[in-house]
Amino acid sequence: MSARQKPRRLPPFSGVLVLVMASTGLVVVDLTIVAIGLPLISADIADGASAESVVVTYMVAMGALTQIVGSLSDRWGRRSLFLAGIGVFTLSSLAATAAPDLLWLNIARVAQGAGAAAIMANGIPLLSDRYAGEERDLAIGAWGSFATAAGLLAPVFGGVLAETFGWRAVFAVNLPLGAAAWALAVRVLPRAPGTDGAGASGAGVARRTGDSGGAAARRTDWLGGLLLMLGLGAATLLMLRPGETPWSARDTAVLVTACAATVAFLAVQLRAPAPTLELRMFARPAFSGAMLAVLLSRVLTIGGSVYLVLYFSDGLGMSPTGAGLLMTPIFLAQIVMGMVGSKLIGTRPPGLVIGAGYALKGVGFAALALLITPGTPWWALVVPLLAWGAGGGIAGAPVMAVAVRVTAPERVGMVAGTVSTLASLGAGVGTAALGAVFALRGGPGAEAVTDGARAVLGVSAALAAVAVLVAVTLIGPRRVPGRAPAPAAQGPAPAERRPVPGTEGPVPPAEEGDEGDSFRART
């Protein structure tokens, strides 16, 4: 076997990979790290009132803008939007650190969410531009595993910072990290992105619309973007409402707004010459399956971990730092097995690999549900936690690679936006839905908290079984094209070896009745 054909275990080291992983980790950590400091924020600048809006504003801004920024990156280029995202995120972190009151802090968090959207939406496209074939799958796998693991470690990190330096430290830590990321981005990101408004994206849209010269690609779907922001923002606010409060007329108005804006957005996307979201991507079963898997993964990971940590603290009596440390088996297994999952989809059917990961994750949930009691020793939970993390790594990393592999290259930014948007929605849905399950069984006291956590883990195991069925049914081997071989050199592939825009290696034969398999040819 030649050196060119030798299989890899890790993606080739590059500045782009380090940049994307570090920047994404910064954004994901900020999703949960601030929650640790909410009691201190309430006591300091909120006059004792609830400071939950500090978390809500960040999630709403990022969730509403990610899809739009992802689509714009396909037209305007990756480098400028990524640099802008890091800059906005870092400067708004400075504003949050110096916030004199809650209103100032919430405005800064909206700006942080906008910067985070630009970072998240460009992560997968930058890796897709830098790597090809097996190397790309491994790079995306490393990115996905690191992002998930960073979110799981955030409570530990936030607890140490808040307890030692106060709540402002959870924002101040972004300043040196953001400045370093911006300097690295200036150095390693190419000035001529692999996709820009006059390049591949213009060609792809021109083929679809018949618009010569890519004029359609230069248009921006502002109406669709505004409708999406309105719909997702309203939906996120509704999901994050306190579960113990009665339904109100305001909640009804928010629900109607979310539904109306979403329906209007879908109608606009069917007619827009350059839509924010190309709905025909969902005609491919493999793409739809990957997106459902992303949603379910975040429901299980974020929703399940919130109430497991609550059991650690209130059921077992652990300190916040100790409870966070007990989550480290998930972090370690997620990182290691994410690489394994990305490797396996090169030789095994992706649907079976992803399904096996969710099956292992479900076993971990079920074992925890059976084991936890107010007197369970912490060491008895390590093996189920490792199974949870290992299953998440095996399933999560290949999902991203599959989504990219079945999509035309000029829409990778759009796909990244869809993945990040669904991940944000999954986090909200998981926290709210599993919170309702917890409320039905849980309550004050170690025994009641344990009962609630046990119910959440049981439902999570059932949802993992649903994810297995989704993976093996929709992400079939004939619905995912084989990947092109990675280039011999570490740099970009030579021009004569680049795939024709709109292709991704050999396209599998169409399945009977499978409308999605002709998507690549149509776009």
Side-chain angles (χ1 to χ4, degrees):
M1 180 178 293
S2 67
R4 178 185 176 85
Q5 297 173 321
K6 184 177 180 180
R8 290 183 175 273
R9 297 179 181 177
L10 295 172
F13 181 83
S14 73
V16 172
L17 179 61
V18 173
L19 170 67
V20 170
M21 290 178 64
S23 302
T24 301
L26 196 63
V27 169
V28 173
V29 165
D30 221 58
L31 276 170
T32 53
I33 192 175
V34 177
I36 301 297
L38 287 183
L40 299 176
I41 294 174
S42 296
D44 187 19
I45 62 172
D47 295 326
S50 174
E52 290 181 354
S53 58
V54 176
V55 176
V56 173
T57 49
Y58 181 78
M59 292 184 64
V60 168
M62 186 172 71
L65 291 172
T66 302
Q67 182 68 59
I68 300 165
V69 175
S71 297
L72 290 178
S73 77
D74 289 333
R75 303 183 179 98
W76 296 356
R78 323 288 188 207
R79 188 178 193 272
S80 57
L81 283 175
F82 195 82
L83 284 170
I86 295 176
V88 169
F89 185 88
T90 305
L91 291 175
S92 57
S93 296
L94 176 61
T97 303
D101 53 46
L102 192 59
L103 176 61
W104 178 304
L105 183 57
N106 279 326
I107 293 173
R109 289 289 280 170
V110 170
Q112 262 193 316
I119 294 172
M120 293 297 290
N122 282 282
I124 293 178
L126 285 171
L127 294 179
S128 184
D129 290 344
R130 173 61 179 82
Y131 297 98
E134 181 187 28
E135 293 178 355
R136 183 184 62 189
D137 287 351
L138 291 172
I140 292 176
W143 170 83
S145 297
F146 182 82
T148 302
L152 293 172
L153 276 185
V156 183
F157 190 40
V160 172
L161 285 176
E163 291 177 10
T164 306
F165 302 105
W167 67 266
R168 296 182 189 274
V170 302
F171 299 109
V173 71
N174 294 332
L175 303 181
L177 298 177
W182 195 88
L184 180 61
V186 170
R187 179 178 178 84
V188 303
L189 293 185
R191 293 189 176 275
T195 306
D196 58 33
S201 179
V205 176
R207 287 195 301 272
R208 176 165 58 83
T209 63
D211 187 357
S212 62
R218 291 190 293 272
R219 302 173 188 169
T220 299
D221 179 24
W222 295 116
L223 176 59
L226 290 174
L227 289 171
L228 182 62
M229 289 173 60
L230 180 61
L232 290 178
T236 304
L237 285 173
L238 197 61
M239 286 187 294
L240 294 175
R241 63 181 292 275
E244 66 275 7
T245 59
W247 190 267
S248 65
R250 174 183 175 276
D251 295 326
T252 301
V254 174
L255 176 60
V256 171
T257 299
C259 294
T262 301
V263 171
F265 168 74
L266 295 176
V268 168
Q269 298 314 285
L270 293 174
R271 301 178 62 87
T276 299
L277 176 62
E278 177 55 79
L279 298 179
R280 288 188 296 173
M281 293 191 302
F282 290 91
R284 294 190 67 90
F287 183 82
S288 295
M291 296 302 100
L292 283 172
V294 168
L295 182 68
L296 287 171
S297 174
R298 195 52 66 95
V299 167
L300 296 173
T301 300
I302 300 299
S305 63
V306 166
Y307 300 102
L308 185 62
V309 170
L310 186 61
Y311 159 73
F312 290 160
S313 60
D314 293 354
L316 297 182
M318 291 185 168
S319 67
T321 302
L325 288 174
L326 191 51
M327 298 292 285
T328 54
I330 303 178
F331 162 77
L332 296 175
Q334 184 97 24
I335 290 287
V336 174
M337 299 310 292
M339 295 293 94
V340 173
S342 298
K343 186 70 177 177
L344 286 175
I345 63 170
T347 56
R348 300 289 186 273
L352 292 181
V353 174
I354 296 169
Y358 277 113
L360 182 57
K361 194 170 187 174
V363 168
F365 284 128
L368 287 169
L370 293 173
L371 285 173
I372 63 173
T373 69
T376 302
W378 66 266
W379 50 263
L381 305 177
V382 172
V383 172
L385 291 173
L386 286 171
W388 173 349
I394 293 172
V399 163
M400 308 295 183
V402 167
V404 172
R405 198 188 293 183
V406 300
T407 306
E410 63 267 20
R411 290 196 175 90
V412 173
M414 186 183 292
V415 171
T418 304
V419 167
S420 297
T421 299
L422 288 175
S424 298
L425 288 176
V429 169
T431 303
L434 294 179
V437 172
F438 181 87
L440 290 175
R441 297 292 302 274
E447 191 68 41
V449 168
T450 302
D451 289 341
R454 188 181 294 117
V456 167
L457 292 167
V459 171
S460 298
L463 290 176
V466 172
V468 173
L469 293 177
V470 167
V472 299
T473 302
L474 296 180
I475 312 177
R478 296 185 64 194
R479 289 171 171 164
V480 181
R483 61 191 177 192
Q490 295 295 317
E496 64 272 17
R497 294 187 179 273
R498 288 191 182 276
V500 176
T503 65
E504 187 71 14
V507 178
E511 295 183 59
E512 184 178 354
D514 186 359
E515 297 178 0
D517 285 327
S518 60
F519 170 80
R520 194 182 303 278
R522 294 200 308 269
T523 58

